Amino acid sequence: MTVSNELASLEQEAAAALESVGDLAALAEWKSKYTGKSGALTRVSRSLGALPVEQRPEFGRRVNQLREELEAAYAAAEQRLKLAAQAAELAAERIDVTMPGRTPALGYVHLTNRVLGQVQEIFGEMGFLVTESPEVEFDEYNFSLLNFADDHPARDMQDTFYLDLPDGAPSVLLRTHTSPGQLRVMRERAPEPLRILLPGKVYRNEQVTVRSEMMFHQFEFLAIGRHITMGDLKGTLAYFAERMYGPGTKVRLRPSFFPFTEPSAEMDVSCFLCGGTGCRVCKYAGWLEIGGCGMVHPNVLRNGGYDPEEFSGFAGGFGPERIAMLKYGIDDIRGFYSGDTRFVEQFG
Ligand code: DAH
């Protein structure tokens, strides 16, 4: 083959090879194969020395021309492949702006706290201030100062969680009700008249069933003044019941017993579902049992720093879970604290 033919066939071969180059890596290979330092073009141009002198300028011109052509072809291919690679990348990363967004999961206020919020609002309208007292409480405040006898069954380890403290330390427990808060408020405020609402957690060493949990909530209401009567208690309860369960809800007080009130009562409300005619919710009684209340016992007033000859008061302690269960037809208290958010979400 003459050198001139060699150049022509190199040109053809390089052009054909470039056709099948599909990416930048293959292009780099092509470059080193044809125009690289030890590539085909360099090899062919070395035959210059073997040519008669008069053919050399022409040959040199053709080699240079071919190099320029190949380099231009390389640049064009590089440009084309870069654009293609970029287009592929953009296609792969394409964002479909018409796709529906992902809504972030919203938290919900727990049903117990929702009910406690309503309770605070209702009692707030009647001038009751909200305050809290400790969940870890002295036995003295939880029982003795509330006029519980020393042998009262509620003091039993089976019903109450006592803290394990060294001998000689005062007896400390997880409060079994919010009533000890009465003593704390009274001792702080006596002899001022007061209206106080004490919401919070209480603990009982109880078998967990659909009706009872070891931890639940109560709210305690307490009013002390110079002329407070059972009529005031009933009026307060009537207002609470109507605001909580709807207009027309009636209140009934049944005689009961608590060591810290005299007289003591259980409060019922007329069934908000049937209005008192009897249905499944009220078990055909027409009434729903809400909780205990009464006139503060003289011993308790005295323990709180109030002279029972001058002051009187009423108090009560209700459970928001029970209020919610009746209101929303929940038949298993365990749903409240199981941690299953599907329970809470229903009441969002
Ligand atoms: N502390 C009582 C309980 O846990 C509820 C209660 C009843 C509270 C009567 C009171 C009250 O303030 O007057 O069962």
Side-chain angles (χ1 to χ4, degrees):
M1 191 159 31
T2 66
V3 281
S4 144
N5 283 348
E6 238 176 285
L7 276 180
S9 81
L10 177 59
E11 184 177 359
Q12 271 175 17
E13 190 194 321
L18 193 58
E19 297 266 307
S20 60
V21 160
D23 56 36
L24 289 165
L27 182 65
E29 249 172 64
W30 179 91
K31 185 182 179 180
S32 82
K33 184 169 175 190
Y34 294 102
T35 64
K37 264 199 195 98
S38 41
L41 189 60
T42 311
R43 228 182 310 112
V44 176
S45 64
R46 282 204 195 100
S47 10
L48 181 80
L51 285 178
V53 180
E54 67 280 11
Q55 287 178 22
R56 288 182 193 174
E58 168 65 3
F59 180 75
R61 203 184 48 75
R62 287 195 55 196
V63 167
N64 283 341
Q65 193 189 344
L66 182 55
R67 181 172 292 282
E68 272 165 32
E69 271 172 33
L70 293 180
E71 274 166 6
Y74 171 85
E78 185 185 40
Q79 171 78 355
R80 173 173 57 82
L81 291 172
K82 272 190 177 158
L83 285 175
Q86 195 180 59
E89 199 176 307
L90 285 176
E93 287 174 7
R94 186 164 160 268
I95 292 167
D96 183 353
V97 292
T98 67
M99 258 170 54
R102 259 175 262 156
T103 28
L106 282 183
Y108 295 88
V109 174
H110 193 281
L111 183 53
T112 302
N113 283 335
R114 278 181 34 134
V115 170
L116 283 176
Q118 285 169 279
V119 168
Q120 286 176 24
E121 198 177 303
I122 298 168
F123 275 90
E125 289 162 8
M126 295 186 280
F128 285 73
L129 294 179
V130 179
T131 184
E132 286 183 11
S133 77
E135 286 173 34
V136 179
E137 188 53 282
F138 292 111
D139 182 300
E140 187 192 8
Y141 277 77
N142 196 80
F143 294 125
S144 312
L145 294 173
L146 284 165
N147 203 36
F148 278 78
D150 285 341
D151 58 356
H152 194 282
R155 289 173 177 261
D156 200 310
M157 296 275 288
Q158 310 230 291
D159 300 306
T160 302
F161 291 111
Y162 284 91
L163 270 70
D164 214 354
L165 295 179
D167 286 346
S171 176
V172 173
L173 43 75
L174 297 184
R175 66 176 176 191
T176 59
H177 52 175
T178 43
S179 304
Q182 290 189 26
L183 268 306
R184 291 191 171 268
V185 171
M186 282 194 255
R187 288 187 161 190
E188 212 178 284
R189 303 269 300 267
E192 284 171 53
L194 50 84
R195 265 172 284 178
I196 288 289
L197 184 73
L198 291 145
K201 292 187 170 96
V202 300
Y203 303 84
R204 290 189 193 170
N205 195 356
E206 248 168 328
Q207 177 87 28
V208 175
T209 69
V210 291
R211 309 184 101 245
S212 60
E213 268 281 5
M214 282 188 282
M215 186 285 296
F216 54 99
H217 294 71
Q218 283 189 341
F219 59 90
E220 191 84 9
F221 51 94
L222 171 69
I224 297 180
R226 285 194 171 76
H227 306 288
I228 291 188
T229 66
M230 197 123 181
D232 296 317
L233 169 61
K234 194 159 182 192
T236 302
L237 294 175
Y239 183 79
F240 171 72
E242 285 219 322
R243 288 279 282 103
M244 193 75 212
Y245 287 107
T249 306
K250 288 187 202 44
V251 163
R252 177 174 84 173
L253 294 180
R254 276 180 295 112
S256 184
F257 174 80
F258 299 100
F260 37 92
T261 40
E262 183 56 41
S264 303
E266 286 289 341
M267 172 185 87
D268 297 342
V269 296
S270 56
C271 180
F272 58 89
L273 195 68
C274 62
T277 54
C279 70
R280 217 173 41 83
V281 170
C282 61
K283 303 205 177 70
Y284 302 95
W287 295 93
L288 301 166
E289 207 179 301
I290 301 295
C293 55
M295 301 305 290
V296 182
H297 194 288
N299 288 346
V300 176
L301 284 172
R302 216 173 282 118
N303 289 339
Y306 290 86
D307 177 1
E309 296 298 329
E310 190 184 347
F311 289 93
S312 57
F314 66 76
F318 299 167
E321 289 91 350
R322 175 157 177 82
I323 288 172
M325 286 170 84
L326 293 174
K327 192 163 172 173
Y328 297 106
I330 301 161
D331 55 13
D332 188 342
I333 196 174
R334 293 171 302 178
F336 282 77
Y337 307 112
S338 65
D340 187 338
T341 53
R342 290 173 300 179
F343 176 85
V344 193
E345 281 163 13
Q346 290 177 68
F347 308 99

